[in-house]
Amino acid sequence: MWIADNWKDYEVIDCSKGEKLERWGQYILVRPDPQVIWDTPKTEKEWKKKNAHYHRSQKGGGEWEFFDLPKEWSIRYRDLTFHLKPFSFKHTGLFPEQAVNWDWFSSIIKKAKAQESGRQIKVLNLFAYTGGATLAAANAGAAVTHVDASKGMVSWAKENAAASGLSDAPVRWLVDDCVKFVEREIRRGNTYDGIIMDPPSYGRGPKGEIWKIEDSVFALIELAAKLLSGNALFFLVNSYTTGLQPAVLTYMLHTALVPQFGGQVESSEIGLPVSSNGLVLPCGASGRWFT
């Protein structure tokens, strides 16, 4: 398992009975997590000192209960700063477990630039959300194209870039449908040295098109592979869908990339350490192709 264990401003303190107890900076949140199927004693004092609690509804969705939480606050990871706020369906605007992937591709980008002085490394970030991967890649020295269908998410990502001192970094911020954007880039003849995609399990396109990851992700990987440059560095796919095991990600990436580009593929669960007991909370899976 790849574990995001370099955080200072975030931790999973404990988890039990469908919920996780987290510290985001100085604030304590309790949020639901379907992976937490165990029922262990909630002895950590923070369970009773939470600043906000997201209650899941039996009918789907849910709502926040606030005790003492600002509308917005910030946390840092290495050189990056992220603005957080509680919004729809339990989220805060950041997936901390992805830090283990940020570190991985950042090291690849830095190594490539060190080996070839003056090389411009172009990275495409699809379903880019609030920009965690975008900022990590830009901070490592890449020129990034950030694509997300939500105007609000792209605006939030720009705020994170400004907070991280990356306002002038070479980032293209695009509000667009990811599949349609990739198709247009292929027609334009554009290429990228690294591709990151974090597709949703389920979604709808701008014209009501249904996206279901099990049905669509392999076709998108094959399509995006056409954008890789001749000396491409990496391709990262994330999945929060329990049906897509790491071995499935390995199979898809190997099939779509290795025959043409060579390289190798590794996939694994990703997780966050639980500080109260030394165990690891699983948080989905990632597949990595690299040369």
Side-chain angles (χ1 to χ4, degrees):
M1 181 181 281
W2 296 325
I3 302 172
D5 55 4
N6 289 315
W7 279 98
K8 295 180 179 178
D9 281 4
Y10 172 86
E11 68 175 309
V12 179
I13 301 168
D14 195 15
C15 45
S16 177
K17 208 170 183 178
E19 294 184 316
K20 55 189 173 186
L21 176 69
E22 305 165 292
R23 177 181 64 85
W24 297 79
Q26 61 181 310
Y27 300 105
I28 304 298
L29 304 185
V30 176
R31 299 190 300 155
D33 190 316
Q35 302 261 48
V36 182
I37 61 174
W38 47 89
D39 184 359
T40 50
K42 293 182 176 181
T43 56
E44 299 301 310
K45 64 181 185 299
E46 288 88 352
W47 284 108
K48 297 181 180 179
K49 296 183 177 181
K50 54 188 176 288
N51 297 98
H53 190 169
Y54 188 91
H55 299 277
R56 176 165 283 166
S57 169
Q58 298 292 333
K59 300 177 182 179
E63 62 180 0
W64 284 98
E65 179 184 12
F66 298 110
F67 302 101
D68 183 20
L69 187 72
K71 291 183 178 179
E72 185 173 308
W73 74 104
S74 298
I75 64 173
R76 290 183 59 81
Y77 183 76
R78 300 192 187 277
D79 298 330
L80 307 177
T81 298
F82 300 100
H83 291 165
L84 307 175
K85 51 191 172 186
F87 74 113
S88 61
F89 195 62
K90 79 180 181 182
H91 296 305
T92 64
L94 192 67
F95 293 97
E97 63 274 9
Q98 286 300 323
V100 72
N101 285 322
W102 304 341
D103 289 346
W104 171 73
F105 62 68
S106 292
S107 66
I108 291 175
I109 293 167
K110 291 175 182 177
K111 182 179 178 181
K113 290 185 74 69
Q115 290 176 341
E116 188 178 338
S117 179
R119 177 180 176 182
Q120 184 189 51
I121 295 172
K122 295 172 60 181
V123 172
L124 174 61
N125 187 12
L126 300 170
F127 310 97
Y129 198 51
T130 59
T134 294
L135 301 190
N139 192 57
V144 187
T145 298
H146 173 111
V147 186
D148 196 280
S150 168
K151 184 178 180 180
M153 292 299 110
V154 174
S155 295
W156 194 339
K158 289 181 181 179
E159 293 174 9
N160 286 335
S164 299
L166 293 169
S167 292
D168 296 327
V171 179
R172 285 199 299 163
W173 305 100
L174 301 176
V175 179
D176 205 341
D177 177 84
C178 289
V179 176
K180 289 182 172 56
F181 175 79
V182 170
E183 291 171 340
R184 287 198 301 274
E185 286 291 86
I186 293 169
R187 292 196 294 269
R188 294 172 184 137
N190 289 334
T191 60
Y192 295 87
D193 305 301
I195 295 176
I196 301 161
M197 63 170 67
D198 201 346
S201 298
Y202 180 86
R204 288 187 180 273
K207 296 182 179 179
E209 308 96 324
I210 293 176
W211 165 277
K212 193 174 180 184
I213 192 168
E214 297 93 330
D215 298 336
S216 306
V217 69
F218 181 62
L220 180 57
I221 291 171
E222 287 189 307
L223 194 67
K226 297 177 182 179
L227 293 177
L228 286 175
S229 66
N231 55 347
L233 299 171
F234 68 89
F235 196 121
L236 171 68
V237 180
N238 295 309
S239 170
Y240 294 94
T241 303
T242 54
L244 292 184
Q245 301 296 331
V248 175
L249 296 176
T250 293
Y251 202 103
M252 289 191 295
L253 285 170
H254 192 285
T255 303
L257 301 176
V258 172
Q260 180 178 354
F261 297 98
Q264 54 188 308
V265 177
E266 295 179 351
S267 299
S268 177
E269 285 187 279
I270 56 174
L272 289 162
V274 180
S275 58
S276 64
N277 57 25
L279 298 172
V280 177
L281 177 65
C283 303
S286 294
R288 301 168 174 176
W289 170 84
F290 53 98
T291 54

